[in-house]
Amino acid sequence: MSKSDPEKPAAKTHNGERIAKILSRAGVASRREAERMIEAGRVSVNAAQITSPALNVTDADEITVDGKPLTAPEPPRLWLFHKPTGLVSTDHDEKGRETIYSVLPEDIPRVMSVGRLDLNSEGLLLLTNDGGIKRRLELPSTGWLRRYRVRVNGRPTDAVLEPLRKGVTVDGEAFQPMTVTLDRQQGANAWLTIGLREGRNREIRRALADVGLSVNRLIRVSYGPFQLGELKPGTVEEVRRKILRDQLGLDAGDDTGTAAKKPTHATRRRTARPPQSKSKSGVHRPQRPKR
């Protein structure tokens, strides 16, 4: 944002874009979080504190957050993160549990997670510096398939799993039909591959519990075209800008830029995961776990 006369009142025109959208695009916070920051009085426009997100701003307006000028947004960027278990996917946790942000590399900019993986879930978590990307990828209308490798206690049959393929209702909440494949039975446990296009809170665990199955391991292996592949637990890797352009239609600058040509490791213990194989096309595909 360019500087302007500090005495200029906050813009009240319908031109420009909503202030929360601008903050989100600049990587300050998600749009919803930005609205809460505004309501808390942490944002000023042209030296005037605002408390309502119902305000449009333009490049001529000077925006500050917690007294610091808003910098021009970076080009949109996206990272793949192999989230280990034992981490929550929020900025802060009211129970004092460790978050993904406490283990991310210091050289990574302020990022937001695309959706979440709960404390006991692991696998692919997308991170972005751009609120518009976050919103786009989380919208159900995007329709991207999210695939999970799920270990359950029990001996599921197709008859047991069929309700999941048709869609179940749990505690009054309707879940969309899932793709469910029984991969293998190993003693008291079975491995499933589950695909869904909506990511509701603990959806897979709740849906499986509804048909009498208890989840004891859950690994997200893909989110739309983005694959976990051979990314090791606790590791971050930036998506190339060419892929962002091709998959999301974004102008992300030149095709060669990438924050890390080699994966960047977070400082945390590693956990075991199913082995991976790589196809001739370079797309990583999970193998069935050998346990």
Side-chain angles (χ1 to χ4, degrees), residues 164-195:
L164 304 178
R165 299 176 181 129
K166 296 179 178 179
V168 296
T169 299
V170 181
D171 298 329
E173 187 174 6
F175 294 153
Q176 295 296 316
M178 304 175 180
T179 61
V180 186
T181 303
L182 174 59
D183 295 326
R184 65 185 302 173
Q185 184 74 43
Q186 292 182 314
N189 294 318
W191 278 95
L192 311 172
T193 295
I194 296 180

PDB file of all heavy atoms in Angstrom, residues 164-195:
ATOM      1  N   LEU A 164     -21.010 -45.625   3.766  1.00  0.00           N
ATOM      2  CA  LEU A 164     -20.114 -44.496   3.569  1.00  0.00           C
ATOM      3  C   LEU A 164     -20.112 -44.061   2.112  1.00  0.00           C
ATOM      4  O   LEU A 164     -20.002 -42.867   1.803  1.00  0.00           O
ATOM      5  CB  LEU A 164     -18.686 -44.859   4.000  1.00  0.00           C
ATOM      6  CG  LEU A 164     -18.511 -45.367   5.432  1.00  0.00           C
ATOM      7  CD1 LEU A 164     -17.051 -45.730   5.682  1.00  0.00           C
ATOM      8  CD2 LEU A 164     -18.968 -44.315   6.435  1.00  0.00           C
ATOM      9  N   ARG A 165     -20.260 -45.016   1.213  1.00  0.00           N
ATOM     10  CA  ARG A 165     -20.265 -44.707  -0.220  1.00  0.00           C
ATOM     11  C   ARG A 165     -21.555 -44.025  -0.644  1.00  0.00           C
ATOM     12  O   ARG A 165     -21.601 -43.356  -1.684  1.00  0.00           O
ATOM     13  CB  ARG A 165     -20.058 -45.990  -1.027  1.00  0.00           C
ATOM     14  CG  ARG A 165     -18.721 -46.681  -0.723  1.00  0.00           C
ATOM     15  CD  ARG A 165     -18.585 -48.000  -1.457  1.00  0.00           C
ATOM     16  NE  ARG A 165     -17.321 -48.665  -1.151  1.00  0.00           N
ATOM     17  CZ  ARG A 165     -17.204 -49.922  -0.763  1.00  0.00           C
ATOM     18  NH1 ARG A 165     -18.301 -50.682  -0.641  1.00  0.00           N
ATOM     19  NH2 ARG A 165     -16.027 -50.433  -0.503  1.00  0.00           N
ATOM     20  N   LYS A 166     -22.598 -44.182   0.154  1.00  0.00           N
ATOM     21  CA  LYS A 166     -23.882 -43.557  -0.154  1.00  0.00           C
ATOM     22  C   LYS A 166     -24.080 -42.251   0.606  1.00  0.00           C
ATOM     23  O   LYS A 166     -24.941 -41.450   0.235  1.00  0.00           O
ATOM     24  CB  LYS A 166     -25.027 -44.531   0.183  1.00  0.00           C
ATOM     25  CG  LYS A 166     -25.014 -45.789  -0.670  1.00  0.00           C
ATOM     26  CD  LYS A 166     -26.150 -46.729  -0.272  1.00  0.00           C
ATOM     27  CE  LYS A 166     -26.166 -47.962  -1.160  1.00  0.00           C
ATOM     28  NZ  LYS A 166     -27.245 -48.906  -0.783  1.00  0.00           N
ATOM     29  N   GLY A 167     -23.289 -42.061   1.663  1.00  0.00           N
ATOM     30  CA  GLY A 167     -23.432 -40.861   2.489  1.00  0.00           C
ATOM     31  C   GLY A 167     -24.165 -41.172   3.776  1.00  0.00           C
ATOM     32  O   GLY A 167     -25.241 -41.777   3.747  1.00  0.00           O
ATOM     33  N   VAL A 168     -23.556 -40.802   4.903  1.00  0.00           N
ATOM     34  CA  VAL A 168     -24.164 -41.071   6.198  1.00  0.00           C
ATOM     35  C   VAL A 168     -24.470 -39.749   6.902  1.00  0.00           C
ATOM     36  O   VAL A 168     -23.914 -38.707   6.566  1.00  0.00           O
ATOM     37  CB  VAL A 168     -23.247 -41.926   7.090  1.00  0.00           C
ATOM     38  CG1 VAL A 168     -23.039 -43.302   6.477  1.00  0.00           C
ATOM     39  CG2 VAL A 168     -21.903 -41.238   7.323  1.00  0.00           C
ATOM     40  N   THR A 169     -25.353 -39.809   7.879  1.00  0.00           N
ATOM     41  CA  THR A 169     -25.674 -38.655   8.714  1.00  0.00           C
ATOM     42  C   THR A 169     -25.273 -38.986  10.140  1.00  0.00           C
ATOM     43  O   THR A 169     -25.721 -39.986  10.699  1.00  0.00           O
ATOM     44  CB  THR A 169     -27.171 -38.315   8.649  1.00  0.00           C
ATOM     45  OG1 THR A 169     -27.518 -37.980   7.296  1.00  0.00           O
ATOM     46  CG2 THR A 169     -27.490 -37.131   9.549  1.00  0.00           C
ATOM     47  N   VAL A 170     -24.400 -38.154  10.709  1.00  0.00           N
ATOM     48  CA  VAL A 170     -23.884 -38.378  12.058  1.00  0.00           C
ATOM     49  C   VAL A 170     -24.234 -37.175  12.921  1.00  0.00           C
ATOM     50  O   VAL A 170     -23.873 -36.044  12.592  1.00  0.00           O
ATOM     51  CB  VAL A 170     -22.363 -38.597  12.040  1.00  0.00           C
ATOM     52  CG1 VAL A 170     -21.841 -38.863  13.453  1.00  0.00           C
ATOM     53  CG2 VAL A 170     -21.993 -39.754  11.115  1.00  0.00           C
ATOM     54  N   ASP A 171     -24.957 -37.410  14.008  1.00  0.00           N
ATOM     55  CA  ASP A 171     -25.367 -36.335  14.922  1.00  0.00           C
ATOM     56  C   ASP A 171     -26.060 -35.200  14.173  1.00  0.00           C
ATOM     57  O   ASP A 171     -25.830 -34.010  14.431  1.00  0.00           O
ATOM     58  CB  ASP A 171     -24.155 -35.787  15.684  1.00  0.00           C
ATOM     59  CG  ASP A 171     -23.495 -36.833  16.564  1.00  0.00           C
ATOM     60  OD1 ASP A 171     -24.219 -37.727  17.057  1.00  0.00           O
ATOM     61  OD2 ASP A 171     -22.267 -36.777  16.749  1.00  0.00           O
ATOM     62  N   GLY A 172     -26.892 -35.574  13.218  1.00  0.00           N
ATOM     63  CA  GLY A 172     -27.657 -34.585  12.465  1.00  0.00           C
ATOM     64  C   GLY A 172     -26.894 -33.910  11.340  1.00  0.00           C
ATOM     65  O   GLY A 172     -27.447 -33.062  10.638  1.00  0.00           O
ATOM     66  N   GLU A 173     -25.616 -34.277  11.142  1.00  0.00           N
ATOM     67  CA  GLU A 173     -24.798 -33.669  10.093  1.00  0.00           C
ATOM     68  C   GLU A 173     -24.628 -34.655   8.946  1.00  0.00           C
ATOM     69  O   GLU A 173     -24.130 -35.768   9.133  1.00  0.00           O
ATOM     70  CB  GLU A 173     -23.427 -33.272  10.645  1.00  0.00           C
ATOM     71  CG  GLU A 173     -22.576 -32.484   9.668  1.00  0.00           C
ATOM     72  CD  GLU A 173     -21.284 -31.975  10.276  1.00  0.00           C
ATOM     73  OE1 GLU A 173     -21.004 -32.332  11.446  1.00  0.00           O
ATOM     74  OE2 GLU A 173     -20.564 -31.225   9.596  1.00  0.00           O
ATOM     75  N   ALA A 174     -25.047 -34.247   7.748  1.00  0.00           N
ATOM     76  CA  ALA A 174     -24.993 -35.125   6.585  1.00  0.00           C
ATOM     77  C   ALA A 174     -23.626 -35.051   5.923  1.00  0.00           C
ATOM     78  O   ALA A 174     -23.149 -33.958   5.584  1.00  0.00           O
ATOM     79  CB  ALA A 174     -26.085 -34.743   5.588  1.00  0.00           C
ATOM     80  N   PHE A 175     -22.985 -36.211   5.731  1.00  0.00           N
ATOM     81  CA  PHE A 175     -21.712 -36.295   5.049  1.00  0.00           C
ATOM     82  C   PHE A 175     -21.941 -36.758   3.616  1.00  0.00           C
ATOM     83  O   PHE A 175     -22.743 -37.661   3.361  1.00  0.00           O
ATOM     84  CB  PHE A 175     -20.772 -37.280   5.751  1.00  0.00           C
ATOM     85  CG  PHE A 175     -20.357 -36.845   7.135  1.00  0.00           C
ATOM     86  CD1 PHE A 175     -20.003 -37.787   8.094  1.00  0.00           C
ATOM     87  CD2 PHE A 175     -20.296 -35.506   7.479  1.00  0.00           C
ATOM     88  CE1 PHE A 175     -19.615 -37.403   9.357  1.00  0.00           C
ATOM     89  CE2 PHE A 175     -19.907 -35.104   8.745  1.00  0.00           C
ATOM     90  CZ  PHE A 175     -19.562 -36.045   9.696  1.00  0.00           C
ATOM     91  N   GLN A 176     -21.227 -36.152   2.695  1.00  0.00           N
ATOM     92  CA  GLN A 176     -21.336 -36.533   1.297  1.00  0.00           C
ATOM     93  C   GLN A 176     -20.759 -37.942   1.083  1.00  0.00           C
ATOM     94  O   GLN A 176     -19.940 -38.415   1.868  1.00  0.00           O
ATOM     95  CB  GLN A 176     -20.583 -35.532   0.420  1.00  0.00           C
ATOM     96  CG  GLN A 176     -21.159 -34.133   0.440  1.00  0.00           C
ATOM     97  CD  GLN A 176     -22.564 -34.085  -0.126  1.00  0.00           C
ATOM     98  OE1 GLN A 176     -22.846 -34.705  -1.159  1.00  0.00           O
ATOM     99  NE2 GLN A 176     -23.450 -33.363   0.548  1.00  0.00           N
ATOM    100  N   PRO A 177     -21.192 -38.635   0.029  1.00  0.00           N
ATOM    101  CA  PRO A 177     -20.633 -39.965  -0.256  1.00  0.00           C
ATOM    102  C   PRO A 177     -19.116 -39.927  -0.395  1.00  0.00           C
ATOM    103  O   PRO A 177     -18.545 -38.984  -0.946  1.00  0.00           O
ATOM    104  CB  PRO A 177     -21.294 -40.339  -1.588  1.00  0.00           C
ATOM    105  CG  PRO A 177     -22.577 -39.562  -1.602  1.00  0.00           C
ATOM    106  CD  PRO A 177     -22.256 -38.260  -0.935  1.00  0.00           C
ATOM    107  N   MET A 178     -18.464 -40.961   0.132  1.00  0.00           N
ATOM    108  CA  MET A 178     -17.016 -41.091   0.069  1.00  0.00           C
ATOM    109  C   MET A 178     -16.663 -42.235  -0.874  1.00  0.00           C
ATOM    110  O   MET A 178     -17.454 -43.153  -1.067  1.00  0.00           O
ATOM    111  CB  MET A 178     -16.438 -41.405   1.455  1.00  0.00           C
ATOM    112  CG  MET A 178     -16.794 -40.422   2.545  1.00  0.00           C
ATOM    113  SD  MET A 178     -16.164 -40.994   4.166  1.00  0.00           S
ATOM    114  CE  MET A 178     -16.732 -39.647   5.223  1.00  0.00           C
ATOM    115  N   THR A 179     -15.464 -42.192  -1.445  1.00  0.00           N
ATOM    116  CA  THR A 179     -14.939 -43.362  -2.134  1.00  0.00           C
ATOM    117  C   THR A 179     -14.152 -44.162  -1.101  1.00  0.00           C
ATOM    118  O   THR A 179     -13.297 -43.609  -0.409  1.00  0.00           O
ATOM    119  CB  THR A 179     -14.025 -42.964  -3.304  1.00  0.00           C
ATOM    120  OG1 THR A 179     -12.909 -42.210  -2.810  1.00  0.00           O
ATOM    121  CG2 THR A 179     -14.779 -42.124  -4.314  1.00  0.00           C
ATOM    122  N   VAL A 180     -14.462 -45.426  -0.962  1.00  0.00           N
ATOM    123  CA  VAL A 180     -13.845 -46.257   0.077  1.00  0.00           C
ATOM    124  C   VAL A 180     -13.377 -47.564  -0.542  1.00  0.00           C
ATOM    125  O   VAL A 180     -14.152 -48.268  -1.189  1.00  0.00           O
ATOM    126  CB  VAL A 180     -14.825 -46.551   1.229  1.00  0.00           C
ATOM    127  CG1 VAL A 180     -14.111 -47.297   2.354  1.00  0.00           C
ATOM    128  CG2 VAL A 180     -15.456 -45.270   1.758  1.00  0.00           C
ATOM    129  N   THR A 181     -12.106 -47.871  -0.337  1.00  0.00           N
ATOM    130  CA  THR A 181     -11.533 -49.120  -0.840  1.00  0.00           C
ATOM    131  C   THR A 181     -10.884 -49.867   0.315  1.00  0.00           C
ATOM    132  O   THR A 181     -10.125 -49.270   1.092  1.00  0.00           O
ATOM    133  CB  THR A 181     -10.467 -48.846  -1.921  1.00  0.00           C
ATOM    134  OG1 THR A 181     -11.049 -48.090  -2.976  1.00  0.00           O
ATOM    135  CG2 THR A 181      -9.917 -50.149  -2.470  1.00  0.00           C
ATOM    136  N   LEU A 182     -11.193 -51.144   0.443  1.00  0.00           N
ATOM    137  CA  LEU A 182     -10.532 -51.991   1.435  1.00  0.00           C
ATOM    138  C   LEU A 182      -9.248 -52.515   0.800  1.00  0.00           C
ATOM    139  O   LEU A 182      -9.279 -53.280  -0.156  1.00  0.00           O
ATOM    140  CB  LEU A 182     -11.441 -53.146   1.844  1.00  0.00           C
ATOM    141  CG  LEU A 182     -10.846 -54.199   2.778  1.00  0.00           C
ATOM    142  CD1 LEU A 182     -10.376 -53.575   4.084  1.00  0.00           C
ATOM    143  CD2 LEU A 182     -11.854 -55.307   3.036  1.00  0.00           C
ATOM    144  N   ASP A 183      -8.099 -52.087   1.327  1.00  0.00           N
ATOM    145  CA  ASP A 183      -6.814 -52.443   0.730  1.00  0.00           C
ATOM    146  C   ASP A 183      -6.275 -53.770   1.242  1.00  0.00           C
ATOM    147  O   ASP A 183      -5.867 -54.619   0.460  1.00  0.00           O
ATOM    148  CB  ASP A 183      -5.781 -51.333   0.996  1.00  0.00           C
ATOM    149  CG  ASP A 183      -6.166 -50.032   0.308  1.00  0.00           C
ATOM    150  OD1 ASP A 183      -6.748 -50.097  -0.788  1.00  0.00           O
ATOM    151  OD2 ASP A 183      -5.899 -48.959   0.878  1.00  0.00           O
ATOM    152  N   ARG A 184      -6.267 -53.942   2.558  1.00  0.00           N
ATOM    153  CA  ARG A 184      -5.757 -55.204   3.089  1.00  0.00           C
ATOM    154  C   ARG A 184      -6.125 -55.346   4.555  1.00  0.00           C
ATOM    155  O   ARG A 184      -6.353 -54.368   5.259  1.00  0.00           O
ATOM    156  CB  ARG A 184      -4.232 -55.296   2.933  1.00  0.00           C
ATOM    157  CG  ARG A 184      -3.453 -54.274   3.735  1.00  0.00           C
ATOM    158  CD  ARG A 184      -1.965 -54.359   3.417  1.00  0.00           C
ATOM    159  NE  ARG A 184      -1.429 -55.674   3.691  1.00  0.00           N
ATOM    160  CZ  ARG A 184      -0.191 -56.054   3.374  1.00  0.00           C
ATOM    161  NH1 ARG A 184       0.613 -55.217   2.739  1.00  0.00           N
ATOM    162  NH2 ARG A 184       0.243 -57.265   3.673  1.00  0.00           N
ATOM    163  N   GLN A 185      -6.227 -56.594   4.989  1.00  0.00           N
ATOM    164  CA  GLN A 185      -6.497 -56.925   6.392  1.00  0.00           C
ATOM    165  C   GLN A 185      -5.184 -57.412   6.996  1.00  0.00           C
ATOM    166  O   GLN A 185      -4.490 -58.258   6.426  1.00  0.00           O
ATOM    167  CB  GLN A 185      -7.559 -58.022   6.489  1.00  0.00           C
ATOM    168  CG  GLN A 185      -7.980 -58.372   7.894  1.00  0.00           C
ATOM    169  CD  GLN A 185      -8.872 -57.312   8.526  1.00  0.00           C
ATOM    170  OE1 GLN A 185      -9.772 -56.794   7.884  1.00  0.00           O
ATOM    171  NE2 GLN A 185      -8.608 -56.996   9.787  1.00  0.00           N
ATOM    172  N   GLN A 186      -4.826 -56.866   8.137  1.00  0.00           N
ATOM    173  CA  GLN A 186      -3.599 -57.269   8.823  1.00  0.00           C
ATOM    174  C   GLN A 186      -3.927 -57.548  10.284  1.00  0.00           C
ATOM    175  O   GLN A 186      -3.993 -56.625  11.102  1.00  0.00           O
ATOM    176  CB  GLN A 186      -2.527 -56.178   8.719  1.00  0.00           C
ATOM    177  CG  GLN A 186      -2.004 -55.987   7.303  1.00  0.00           C
ATOM    178  CD  GLN A 186      -0.922 -54.934   7.244  1.00  0.00           C
ATOM    179  OE1 GLN A 186      -1.059 -53.862   7.816  1.00  0.00           O
ATOM    180  NE2 GLN A 186       0.159 -55.228   6.534  1.00  0.00           N
ATOM    181  N   GLY A 187      -4.175 -58.792  10.576  1.00  0.00           N
ATOM    182  CA  GLY A 187      -4.528 -59.142  11.940  1.00  0.00           C
ATOM    183  C   GLY A 187      -5.811 -58.475  12.363  1.00  0.00           C
ATOM    184  O   GLY A 187      -6.846 -58.585  11.690  1.00  0.00           O
ATOM    185  N   ALA A 188      -5.753 -57.751  13.471  1.00  0.00           N
ATOM    186  CA  ALA A 188      -6.953 -57.087  13.991  1.00  0.00           C
ATOM    187  C   ALA A 188      -7.238 -55.764  13.302  1.00  0.00           C
ATOM    188  O   ALA A 188      -8.269 -55.130  13.573  1.00  0.00           O
ATOM    189  CB  ALA A 188      -6.796 -56.861  15.499  1.00  0.00           C
ATOM    190  N   ASN A 189      -6.337 -55.321  12.418  1.00  0.00           N
ATOM    191  CA  ASN A 189      -6.495 -54.034  11.750  1.00  0.00           C
ATOM    192  C   ASN A 189      -6.684 -54.200  10.251  1.00  0.00           C
ATOM    193  O   ASN A 189      -6.279 -55.213   9.667  1.00  0.00           O
ATOM    194  CB  ASN A 189      -5.280 -53.136  11.994  1.00  0.00           C
ATOM    195  CG  ASN A 189      -5.143 -52.736  13.450  1.00  0.00           C
ATOM    196  OD1 ASN A 189      -6.125 -52.411  14.101  1.00  0.00           O
ATOM    197  ND2 ASN A 189      -3.917 -52.753  13.963  1.00  0.00           N
ATOM    198  N   ALA A 190      -7.270 -53.186   9.632  1.00  0.00           N
ATOM    199  CA  ALA A 190      -7.426 -53.150   8.187  1.00  0.00           C
ATOM    200  C   ALA A 190      -7.027 -51.771   7.686  1.00  0.00           C
ATOM    201  O   ALA A 190      -7.230 -50.759   8.379  1.00  0.00           O
ATOM    202  CB  ALA A 190      -8.870 -53.446   7.789  1.00  0.00           C
ATOM    203  N   TRP A 191      -6.443 -51.730   6.472  1.00  0.00           N
ATOM    204  CA  TRP A 191      -6.096 -50.460   5.839  1.00  0.00           C
ATOM    205  C   TRP A 191      -7.115 -50.153   4.749  1.00  0.00           C
ATOM    206  O   TRP A 191      -7.445 -50.996   3.925  1.00  0.00           O
ATOM    207  CB  TRP A 191      -4.703 -50.522   5.230  1.00  0.00           C
ATOM    208  CG  TRP A 191      -3.600 -50.280   6.212  1.00  0.00           C
ATOM    209  CD1 TRP A 191      -2.878 -51.220   6.891  1.00  0.00           C
ATOM    210  CD2 TRP A 191      -3.098 -49.003   6.632  1.00  0.00           C
ATOM    211  NE1 TRP A 191      -1.961 -50.604   7.711  1.00  0.00           N
ATOM    212  CE2 TRP A 191      -2.070 -49.252   7.566  1.00  0.00           C
ATOM    213  CE3 TRP A 191      -3.413 -47.682   6.308  1.00  0.00           C
ATOM    214  CZ2 TRP A 191      -1.347 -48.232   8.181  1.00  0.00           C
ATOM    215  CZ3 TRP A 191      -2.696 -46.658   6.920  1.00  0.00           C
ATOM    216  CH2 TRP A 191      -1.682 -46.930   7.833  1.00  0.00           C
ATOM    217  N   LEU A 192      -7.606 -48.906   4.765  1.00  0.00           N
ATOM    218  CA  LEU A 192      -8.554 -48.416   3.775  1.00  0.00           C
ATOM    219  C   LEU A 192      -7.948 -47.223   3.048  1.00  0.00           C
ATOM    220  O   LEU A 192      -7.110 -46.504   3.605  1.00  0.00           O
ATOM    221  CB  LEU A 192      -9.857 -47.966   4.440  1.00  0.00           C
ATOM    222  CG  LEU A 192     -10.536 -48.886   5.449  1.00  0.00           C
ATOM    223  CD1 LEU A 192     -11.703 -48.153   6.111  1.00  0.00           C
ATOM    224  CD2 LEU A 192     -11.017 -50.157   4.769  1.00  0.00           C
ATOM    225  N   THR A 193      -8.396 -47.000   1.817  1.00  0.00           N
ATOM    226  CA  THR A 193      -8.136 -45.733   1.134  1.00  0.00           C
ATOM    227  C   THR A 193      -9.479 -45.029   0.983  1.00  0.00           C
ATOM    228  O   THR A 193     -10.435 -45.609   0.448  1.00  0.00           O
ATOM    229  CB  THR A 193      -7.500 -45.948  -0.252  1.00  0.00           C
ATOM    230  OG1 THR A 193      -6.213 -46.539  -0.084  1.00  0.00           O
ATOM    231  CG2 THR A 193      -7.329 -44.622  -0.979  1.00  0.00           C
ATOM    232  N   ILE A 194      -9.548 -43.803   1.493  1.00  0.00           N
ATOM    233  CA  ILE A 194     -10.806 -43.054   1.502  1.00  0.00           C
ATOM    234  C   ILE A 194     -10.602 -41.725   0.783  1.00  0.00           C
ATOM    235  O   ILE A 194      -9.614 -41.020   1.004  1.00  0.00           O
ATOM    236  CB  ILE A 194     -11.297 -42.805   2.942  1.00  0.00           C
ATOM    237  CG1 ILE A 194     -11.631 -44.145   3.612  1.00  0.00           C
ATOM    238  CG2 ILE A 194     -12.515 -41.880   2.955  1.00  0.00           C
ATOM    239  CD1 ILE A 194     -12.132 -44.013   5.036  1.00  0.00           C
ATOM    240  N   GLY A 195     -11.547 -41.385  -0.094  1.00  0.00           N
ATOM    241  CA  GLY A 195     -11.515 -40.103  -0.784  1.00  0.00           C
ATOM    242  C   GLY A 195     -12.773 -39.320  -0.499  1.00  0.00           C
ATOM    243  O   GLY A 195     -13.870 -39.887  -0.436  1.00  0.00           O
TER     244      GLY A 195
END
